[in-house]
Amino acid sequence: QVQLAESGGGLVQAGGSLTLSCAASGPIFLIDRMGWYRQAPGHEREMVATAGRSGTAKFGDAVKGRFTISRDNNAVFLQMSSLKPEDTAVYYCAALGTIVSGQAGNFWGQGTQVTVSS
């Protein structure tokens, strides 16, 4: 089974930094894009950042200039800086366009809590 293991969430003061890590494992042929989404209570899940196999990255407007994403094969990292209270959310690792047994699908981690205090 494909599984995504997330780590790095926690409590941080506003203006601080935090790094999230995710590693995909299982019978994966390839993953098109990997990245991070987040969801806060009362809000829809939103894209934070994604990276293709070549390392090309996209960022959500709310985090541009503050977050950096990097990818190493089937692992992805999110470096967050200048954190704001509104960044508080559950962050989910995503493997999008993942080829397993000849078929494509999306896989999600269980989520890791990031809390930014004011």
Side-chain angles (χ1 to χ4, degrees):
Q1 299 294 324
V2 175
Q3 294 184 341
L4 302 180
E6 303 153 316
S7 63
L11 175 65
V12 64
Q13 191 174 17
S17 300
L18 204 62
T19 298
L20 306 182
S21 301
C22 175
S25 62
I28 301 169
F29 181 74
L30 66 84
I31 303 173
D32 182 21
R33 299 191 69 82
M34 295 191 72
W36 296 89
Y37 290 68
R38 69 186 184 186
Q39 186 168 21
H43 293 75
E44 296 291 327
R45 185 174 298 187
E46 64 176 340
M47 188 270 286
V48 177
T50 62
R53 291 179 57 82
S54 65
T56 55
K58 295 182 178 180
F59 296 91
D61 290 341
V63 306
K64 288 180 179 178
R66 299 188 297 119
F67 291 11
T68 299
I69 190 169
S70 59
R71 179 175 174 180
D72 181 10
N73 293 322
N74 292 341
V76 66
F77 308 88
L78 184 69
Q79 298 168 286
M80 304 181 291
S81 61
S82 301
L83 284 162
K84 305 174 181 179
E86 50 262 46
D87 294 319
T88 296
V90 177
Y91 285 69
Y92 297 90
C93 180
L96 310 176
T98 303
I99 306 299
V100 180
S101 298
Q103 297 186 350
N106 301 327
F107 296 89
W108 299 86
Q110 293 183 339
T112 184
Q113 177 71 46
V114 173
T115 301
V116 183
S117 62
S118 60

